[in-house]
Amino acid sequence: MISRKVLIIGGGQLARMMAQAAPSLGIEIRVLASPSDTSVLNLAEVVVGDYRNVNDVLQAAKGVDVITFDHEHVPRGVLEELLSAGHVLRPSPKSLELVQDKLHLREQLAKWGVPQPKWHGGPGNVKDMVRDFLRTGVAWPLVVKRSVGGYDGKGVWVLRDDSDLSSLDGVESPGWVVEEFCEFRQELSAQVARSPHGQGLAYQVVQTTQVDGICTNVIAPAPDIDEATGIAAQRLAMELASKSEVTGMLAVELFCMPDGQLLVNELAMRPHNSGHWSIDGAVTSQFENHLRAVLDLPLGSVKPTWPYTVMVNVLGVNPVDESVLNHVLAHDPGARVHIYGKEFKLGRKLAHVNVSDSDPSRALARAQHAADRLSGTIR
Amino acid sequence: MISRKVLIIGGGQLARMMAQAAPSLGIEIRVLASPSDTSVLNLAEVVVGDYRNVNDVLQAAKGVDVITFDHEHVPRGVLEELLSAGHVLRPSPKSLELVQDKLHLREQLAKWGVPQPKWHGGPGNVKDMVRDFLRTGVAWPLVVKRSVGGYDGKGVWVLRDDSDLSSLDGVESPGWVVEEFCEFRQELSAQVARSPHGQGLAYQVVQTTQVDGICTNVIAPAPDIDEATGIAAQRLAMELASKSEVTGMLAVELFCMPDGQLLVNELAMRPHNSGHWSIDGAVTSQFENHLRAVLDLPLGSVKPTWPYTVMVNVLGVNPVDESVLNHVLAHDPGARVHIYGKEFKLGRKLAHVNVSDSDPSRALARAQHAADRLSGTIR
């Protein structure tokens, strides 16, 4: 019997969708989940524990071939203990540092000569840092980020002027990054899968839309970009995958500036919200390719299967009853709904909808309607 | 939280692939499996028990919204007890009788005036039945089927002449069907999904190839059939779905005769081997649509997403090691492998491979090569 065993640390929707993809390749999934993680219940072997607790993680790691991640919050010390115990971590703790510490990312990108927004940062007093940065000629608004622990817009502040500095009062962080606010034309995401033996494949570049730091929709491929920009984004992602020695999926979030220049905003080293379209719009989804990559299996074709696939996130607005799903499925038999099995919370990512179509505007309208129903935006 | 709970009786690959599809629609799966059913381990809530034991099944059925099936072997008495206890069974025991009893199927099709092979049958002595049938002018070879309990060619005998009758010595059955051996041009399968509220959708008609009663490959859509034949097969399947009041997936296995006439061979009231292509070649797979149908959710689009998708079964020939999977994935990044998580046994269905392509011959060659590697045919 063909069988490989993967431990995923974290039991959110990414673990859920990896668990759905895994059986096809004979991959067994164990998940280290918190008691409140309902997304993976009965979909994998679930070990309840705390990813910050070395003993919990070591216990969960027994007998697996490789360890990978649903999120990037596992503390450095825990990762090091796993390595010392002989476990295989993909991506490696060294690679993960780039996504765990935004200050480290900025410094490393600067060393590599990779284009990024103007920035200033370090440990110390964040207000002094802002003032120092303004003195270099950068103008308001500015973006301030805690170096560690942020996600989905948390730990990030957009400051319009001096008076907004007070929003940082009392916030502690071991480090800070202050950045220029980029007036981009489009936000793009370039995803690549990279395996330990060095194979890399780039998915088509997509356009992402963020509201308050949370992804709301993704159009694949990104409309209104020229071929050269698409290829440049793919090359940049492949280069970063190689330089960071990532194994698994890498998402490179990019600002595409009015002059066409690409600036690296953030990285993610796992399946990413910008790649959820691939479940229904590519030969091999990002979830299967992440598993293939971390197990050092050959990667699957990343070719799109439709002219356009659009993904819209379902962010909880009002609790909805089950009849809403019936409406959505009846209204559009081609809408591909992916529910995450989570309790309703305001603003929480509860599901996403993929729609494939020959026309990107129509695909977006269809997916948006389905998502608005499921989120409770339309009642 | 959107959540419906389905009990699947039987823990084989059909239950496994339903369990993979279910989470996307917030569907929770419980499976009543035998201790040796490894396909669904850790992919669903597994209850170990015997589907022939009323208490085991009643225990497993507690709290689910609907009960459906991985196979058609649940005894009539058990089904009736479930109904009496107030459970919802889809398909219903009445519908299931058509697939549980081949004699009943032939009688019912005759009543409905549905074209089928010439046949003769009943309870009694099978050799007398064969002789009676020959006297009506039908010539050797003949097909003899036990009325109950057969699958994958088991319980079916092809007799070339009188001397083959001895192969039936000592075989017991409550009933028999004796049929003419149809020299068909092609075997086709027409699949429809039908929901309790009466919605029905027909997948494109596919060509199936059987060797010794076991499906070896499926080409979707069936090549070399004219449009009228395809539509006739879809209409016949829709008509049978309606007449049999099936809920869930119905597969109608058809002989397409040299003159284009369609004769009904067998029915299956569950996801079927002839629809495995739909995981990678249709907007909505047969597994998701079976779940939608039994839960009375609106059905998903059955449109093909590729010109051709070919499925080849992996039937165990030689035990293979894990490096074989690496070879297969490296050789063809577009090959979609679906492993069933079963121990090797000679001739056992261990996996299938789907390949989508613009050319059906190339798709078949690619899928066959991958399957031959995985089965151990090529070493």
Side-chain angles (χ1 to χ4, degrees):
Chain A
M1 191 158 69
I2 291 167
S3 173
R4 274 102 165 173
K5 199 158 202 166
V6 176
L7 171 67
I8 302 172
I9 300 185
Q13 64 265 29
L14 304 181
R16 179 181 178 93
M17 291 185 273
M18 282 192 262
Q20 283 183 267
S24 296
L25 296 181
I27 299 166
E28 292 176 45
I29 301 288
R30 188 185 291 161
V31 177
L32 178 65
S34 78
S36 63
D37 283 337
T38 51
S39 291
V40 289
L41 275 182
N42 290 319
L43 302 180
E45 181 190 349
V46 177
V47 177
V48 174
D50 185 342
Y51 62 84
R52 294 161 301 190
N53 179 310
V54 173
N55 290 332
D56 283 7
V57 182
L58 282 170
Q59 188 64 30
K62 276 186 185 158
V64 303
D65 296 302
V66 63
I67 300 171
T68 191
F69 308 92
D70 169 80
H71 60 69
E72 44 262 306
H73 308 314
V74 184
R76 183 86 191 174
V78 172
L79 296 174
E80 296 293 348
E81 290 272 4
L82 284 166
L83 269 192
S84 303
H87 290 292
V88 180
L89 277 69
R90 289 180 179 151
S92 70
K94 185 166 166 287
S95 300
L96 279 171
E97 214 179 340
L98 283 176
V99 292
Q100 291 190 313
D101 185 331
K102 292 188 171 81
L103 181 57
H104 178 73
L105 174 68
R106 288 287 171 238
E107 290 169 343
Q108 195 61 54
L109 291 178
K111 266 187 214 162
W112 287 335
V114 172
Q116 57 180 331
K118 285 181 193 146
W119 66 281
H120 180 61
N125 183 297
V126 63
K127 294 184 187 178
D128 290 346
M129 248 174 266
V130 168
R131 286 181 202 109
D132 288 348
F133 192 39
L134 287 166
R135 257 177 243 122
T136 67
V138 177
W140 297 102
L142 296 178
V143 180
V144 173
K145 299 175 175 177
R146 294 185 65 208
S147 58
V148 294
Y151 69 99
D152 278 354
K154 293 184 177 70
V156 176
W157 293 261
V158 178
L159 309 182
R160 288 162 304 170
D161 55 39
D162 235 43
S163 67
D164 280 350
L165 275 171
S166 60
S167 58
L168 295 167
D169 286 346
V171 183
E172 299 286 325
S173 179
W176 296 94
V177 178
V178 185
E179 298 176 8
E180 63 174 335
F181 183 89
C182 292
E183 293 283 359
F184 52 79
R185 192 173 70 193
Q186 257 176 315
E187 280 190 271
L188 303 177
S189 174
Q191 281 193 299
V192 300
R194 184 175 177 276
S195 62
H197 72 281
Q199 190 192 6
L201 284 178
Y203 281 87
Q204 61 185 352
V205 174
V206 304
Q207 174 186 297
T208 68
T209 303
Q210 267 74 229
V211 176
D212 297 333
I214 299 180
C215 176
T216 55
N217 71 60
V218 171
I219 303 178
D224 311 320
I225 61 167
D226 54 27
E227 205 188 331
T229 304
I231 291 171
Q234 286 180 315
R235 282 206 180 138
L236 183 54
M238 288 291 260
E239 188 191 326
L240 280 172
S242 173
K243 280 185 165 145
S244 66
E245 295 176 35
V246 70
T247 47
M249 289 296 305
L250 171 72
V252 181
E253 296 184 76
L254 296 159
F255 296 136
C256 181
M257 302 305 289
D259 63 357
Q261 202 198 358
L262 297 172
L263 304 177
V264 174
N265 180 23
E266 308 228 344
L267 306 186
M269 290 182 176
R270 47 168 172 75
H272 186 247
N273 204 158
S274 65
H276 290 359
W277 67 272
S278 62
I279 300 175
D280 298 298
V283 173
T284 313
S285 78
Q286 65 163 345
F287 299 100
E288 180 174 323
N289 262 338
H290 185 76
L291 292 172
R292 287 189 188 217
V294 300
L295 284 165
D296 209 10
L297 292 168
L299 301 176
S301 166
V302 294
K303 279 186 196 152
T305 55
W306 287 83
Y308 287 94
T309 300
V310 167
M311 190 274 337
V312 177
N313 273 335
V314 176
L315 305 167
V317 173
N318 284 298
V320 295
D321 65 36
E322 297 193 352
S323 68
V324 168
L325 180 62
N326 294 41
H327 167 84
V328 166
L329 300 181
H331 186 75
D332 190 343
R336 307 292 308 143
V337 174
H338 299 277
I339 291 173
Y340 301 159
K342 294 177 170 181
E343 293 292 341
F344 172 84
K345 272 189 204 169
L346 191 65
R348 194 179 208 186
K349 287 181 186 169
L350 298 171
H352 74 267
V353 180
N354 288 337
V355 171
S356 297
D357 202 309
S358 56
D359 177 77
S361 312
R362 196 169 50 205
L364 179 58
R366 289 171 57 194
Q368 189 70 54
H369 179 81
D372 283 349
R373 279 281 183 185
L374 290 169
S375 66
T377 305
I378 307 174
R379 280 202 285 187
Chain B
M1 191 158 69
I2 291 167
S3 173
R4 275 102 166 174
K5 199 158 200 165
V6 176
L7 171 66
I8 302 172
I9 301 185
Q13 65 266 27
L14 304 180
R16 179 181 177 93
M17 291 185 274
M18 282 191 263
Q20 284 183 267
S24 296
L25 296 181
I27 300 166
E28 292 175 45
I29 300 288
R30 189 185 291 160
V31 177
L32 177 66
S34 76
S36 63
D37 283 336
T38 51
S39 290
V40 290
L41 275 181
N42 290 318
L43 302 180
E45 182 191 347
V46 177
V47 176
V48 175
D50 185 343
Y51 62 84
R52 294 161 302 191
N53 180 310
V54 173
N55 290 332
D56 283 6
V57 181
L58 282 170
Q59 189 63 30
K62 276 187 183 158
V64 303
D65 296 300
V66 64
I67 301 172
T68 193
F69 307 92
D70 168 80
H71 58 69
E72 44 262 304
H73 309 315
V74 184
R76 184 83 190 177
V78 172
L79 297 174
E80 296 294 348
E81 291 270 7
L82 285 166
L83 269 191
S84 303
H87 290 291
V88 180
L89 277 71
R90 288 181 182 151
S92 71
K94 187 166 164 287
S95 300
L96 279 171
E97 215 180 339
L98 282 176
V99 293
Q100 290 191 313
D101 186 328
K102 292 187 170 81
L103 181 56
H104 178 72
L105 173 68
R106 289 288 171 236
E107 289 169 345
Q108 196 59 58
L109 292 178
K111 267 187 213 163
W112 287 334
V114 172
Q116 56 179 334
K118 286 181 191 146
W119 67 281
H120 180 60
N125 182 296
V126 63
K127 294 184 187 178
D128 290 346
M129 245 173 269
V130 168
R131 286 180 201 109
D132 288 348
F133 193 39
L134 289 167
R135 257 176 242 121
T136 67
V138 177
W140 297 102
L142 297 177
V143 181
V144 173
K145 298 174 175 179
R146 296 184 64 206
S147 59
V148 293
Y151 69 99
D152 278 355
K154 292 184 178 71
V156 176
W157 292 262
V158 178
L159 310 182
R160 287 161 304 170
D161 55 39
D162 234 43
S163 66
D164 279 351
L165 275 171
S166 59
S167 59
L168 295 167
D169 287 348
V171 184
E172 299 285 327
S173 179
W176 296 94
V177 178
V178 185
E179 297 176 8
E180 63 175 334
F181 183 89
C182 293
E183 293 283 0
F184 51 79
R185 192 174 68 194
Q186 257 176 314
E187 279 191 271
L188 302 177
S189 175
Q191 281 194 299
V192 300
R194 185 177 176 274
S195 63
H197 72 280
Q199 191 192 5
L201 284 178
Y203 282 85
Q204 61 184 352
V205 174
V206 305
Q207 173 185 297
T208 67
T209 303
Q210 266 74 229
V211 175
D212 297 332
I214 299 179
C215 176
T216 55
N217 71 60
V218 170
I219 303 178
D224 311 320
I225 62 166
D226 53 27
E227 204 187 333
T229 304
I231 290 171
Q234 286 180 315
R235 283 204 179 139
L236 184 54
M238 288 291 259
E239 190 191 325
L240 280 172
S242 174
K243 282 185 164 144
S244 65
E245 295 176 33
V246 71
T247 46
M249 290 296 304
L250 171 72
V252 181
E253 296 183 76
L254 296 159
F255 296 135
C256 181
M257 302 306 289
D259 63 358
Q261 202 197 357
L262 297 172
L263 304 176
V264 173
N265 180 24
E266 308 226 345
L267 305 185
M269 290 182 175
R270 46 169 173 74
H272 186 247
N273 204 158
S274 65
H276 290 0
W277 66 273
S278 63
I279 301 175
D280 299 297
V283 173
T284 313
S285 78
Q286 64 163 348
F287 299 100
E288 181 174 322
N289 262 337
H290 185 76
L291 292 171
R292 289 189 187 217
V294 301
L295 285 165
D296 209 11
L297 293 168
L299 302 175
S301 166
V302 294
K303 279 188 197 151
T305 54
W306 287 83
Y308 287 94
T309 300
V310 167
M311 191 273 341
V312 177
N313 273 335
V314 176
L315 304 167
V317 173
N318 284 298
V320 295
D321 65 35
E322 297 193 351
S323 68
V324 168
L325 180 62
N326 294 41
H327 167 84
V328 166
L329 300 181
H331 186 74
D332 189 343
R336 307 293 306 143
V337 174
H338 299 277
I339 291 172
Y340 301 159
K342 294 176 169 180
E343 293 293 339
F344 172 84
K345 272 190 205 170
L346 192 66
R348 194 178 208 184
K349 287 180 187 169
L350 299 172
H352 74 266
V353 179
N354 288 336
V355 170
S356 298
D357 202 309
S358 54
D359 177 76
S361 312
R362 195 169 51 205
L364 179 58
R366 287 171 57 194
Q368 190 70 54
H369 179 81
D372 284 349
R373 280 281 183 187
L374 289 169
S375 66
T377 306
I378 307 173
R379 282 202 282 188

